[in-house]
Amino acid sequence: MKIDIDFLRTRLLGSTFISDIIYIPEVNSTNEHSKNFKDKDNLLVITDNQISGKGRYGRVWESAPEMNLTFTIKKNFDIEPDDIQAVNFFFTNFTLSGITEYLKCEQVLSNNDFLELKWPNDIIFRKKKLCGFLIESDIMEGNFYIGCGINVNQKEYNNDYDYKTTSLVKSFGREFNRTELLAKIIELLSQNIHLFDNHEFDNILKLWMKNFNMIGKEIVFTDDRNFLGKAKITAIKRDGGLQILVNNEVKTIYSGDIRILYQN
Ligand code: BTN
């Protein structure tokens, strides 16, 4: 089933921060497409078929037609370079809250089941990746392109890289309504956008940390695919850095991926 764009327009325009929705049935990448609308603010670009989705580090983001959510929010932020990471913290955390709220309404999430954040900007469920973000920006203009891919009704994925991929259908054994899920996410983002407008960046990080359960965990970190080392996470810095203890030395890394070494 296709995204119900009329439903989205009725539910979101006028009552959330999104002021325009562009639906394109098929597109290479919603992030790339949204860059054609530099003058628009608070724009949601969504497709049912993203044919060459971009992941971090030039990777491909795989999404079968009409199965998942692939969208980009184009928003202007008037923030200092030091606070740019708040965009990442804000969108990843409140997208997680939106998905959680939706799953609770659907009564599929039990009390000891919860979504978690993984540095720098993944949402994981039961140790597998459910959602990824590619946030691009044009700092001089203050334009941010917040690209989000959420695995919903796709049962199999080809490109697992070094992490495991999950989707809602893989996790719960039933399909979900993508339109309603997206509406819930935008509503959650909207209910909290005042944190951004009031420049409550410390608060945004504090809220992000509540869904980040990896302090003290053993990890391996990689830059794209190369193994760089084994370490323990000690903190997340406000500038987005991951503070780690490696060979008894505290270091901060700003880019790369981490893989949690789970005990089981
Ligand atoms: C990652 O985890 O590597 C980031 C994945 C980001 C995928 C989304 S899907 C919508 C938007 N458009 C793109 O081309 N990529 C992002």
Side-chain angles (χ1 to χ4, degrees):
M1 218 206 302
K2 291 198 186 307
I3 291 282
D4 184 344
I5 198 67
D6 293 332
F7 173 93
L8 276 186
R9 289 205 167 103
T10 310
R11 180 136 153 207
L12 301 180
L13 298 181
S15 57
T16 68
F17 74 101
I18 293 296
S19 55
D20 201 352
I21 302 177
I22 293 179
Y23 171 76
I24 176 149
E26 183 175 289
V27 75
N28 282 333
S29 153
T30 55
N31 266 34
E32 286 311 307
H33 192 65
S34 62
K35 291 175 192 164
N36 296 325
F37 306 97
K38 288 201 164 39
D39 297 337
K40 290 203 186 229
D41 194 14
N42 298 315
L43 171 70
L44 173 66
V45 175
I46 173 134
T47 186
D48 265 316
N49 188 13
Q50 180 169 258
I51 45 189
S52 32
K54 302 195 307 174
R56 295 173 60 237
Y57 291 113
R59 292 186 290 225
V60 171
W61 182 258
E62 185 194 340
S63 181
E66 296 181 28
M67 289 289 165
N68 303 302
L69 282 173
T70 47
F71 61 93
T72 299
I73 293 169
K74 194 260 157 187
K75 185 157 175 54
N76 259 66
F77 288 110
D78 178 20
I79 45 175
E80 298 298 320
D82 283 356
D83 296 319
I84 277 172
Q85 276 305 318
V87 176
N88 175 25
F89 292 134
F90 179 83
F91 280 91
T92 51
N93 186 55
F94 290 108
T95 298
L96 179 151
S97 306
I99 303 172
T100 302
E101 193 141 308
Y102 172 78
L103 294 175
K104 281 189 176 158
C105 291
E106 291 294 303
Q107 298 184 328
V108 290
L109 210 56
S110 61
N111 284 343
N112 46 10
D113 238 359
F114 48 87
L115 280 74
E116 294 175 84
L117 295 165
K118 175 169 171 275
W119 184 90
N121 48 21
D122 291 342
I123 296 175
I124 59 169
F125 185 56
R126 298 178 187 160
K127 303 174 186 171
K128 294 181 181 178
K129 180 159 169 166
L130 179 71
C131 168
F133 283 83
L134 179 68
I135 303 179
E136 300 182 275
S137 59
D138 167 357
I139 314 275
M140 299 303 277
E141 309 273 337
N143 291 327
F144 285 78
Y145 305 91
I146 301 123
C148 176
I150 305 174
N151 299 330
V152 184
N153 293 328
Q154 188 170 337
K155 292 190 176 119
E156 284 171 19
Y157 293 84
N158 296 321
N159 300 323
D160 270 3
Y161 297 100
D162 59 336
Y163 46 74
K164 297 261 190 295
T165 300
T166 193
S167 62
L168 295 182
V169 73
K170 277 174 81 176
S171 304
F172 298 105
R174 53 155 278 206
E175 295 194 353
F176 292 88
N177 183 317
R178 294 175 304 136
T179 307
E180 282 179 12
L181 171 60
L182 178 58
K184 184 56 87 189
I185 291 166
I186 299 294
E187 283 169 353
L188 252 291
L189 291 167
S190 222
Q191 284 160 21
N192 292 284
I193 202 82
H194 62 91
L195 296 173
F196 232 106
D197 298 339
N198 301 335
H199 285 205
E200 292 183 44
F201 302 129
D202 288 334
N203 211 359
I204 290 172
L205 177 57
K206 229 186 258 167
L207 292 166
W208 192 91
M209 289 300 294
K210 283 194 177 169
N211 291 311
F212 179 74
N213 303 308
M214 294 168 185
I215 300 289
K217 293 260 163 77
E218 283 246 284
I219 56 158
V220 289
F221 56 102
T222 58
D223 67 342
D224 196 0
R225 273 155 232 171
N226 302 314
F227 174 81
L228 291 178
K230 218 171 171 184
K232 201 172 252 190
I233 303 178
T234 50
I236 299 288
K237 310 228 318 212
R238 195 184 136 159
D239 63 4
L242 179 79
Q243 202 180 67
I244 52 175
L245 189 65
V246 50
N247 301 329
N248 284 330
E249 218 185 297
V250 176
K251 283 193 175 160
T252 304
I253 53 174
Y254 287 94
S255 65
D257 270 327
I258 60 172
R259 188 154 54 82
I260 310 292
L261 294 174
Y262 290 110
Q263 257 115 36
N264 52 3

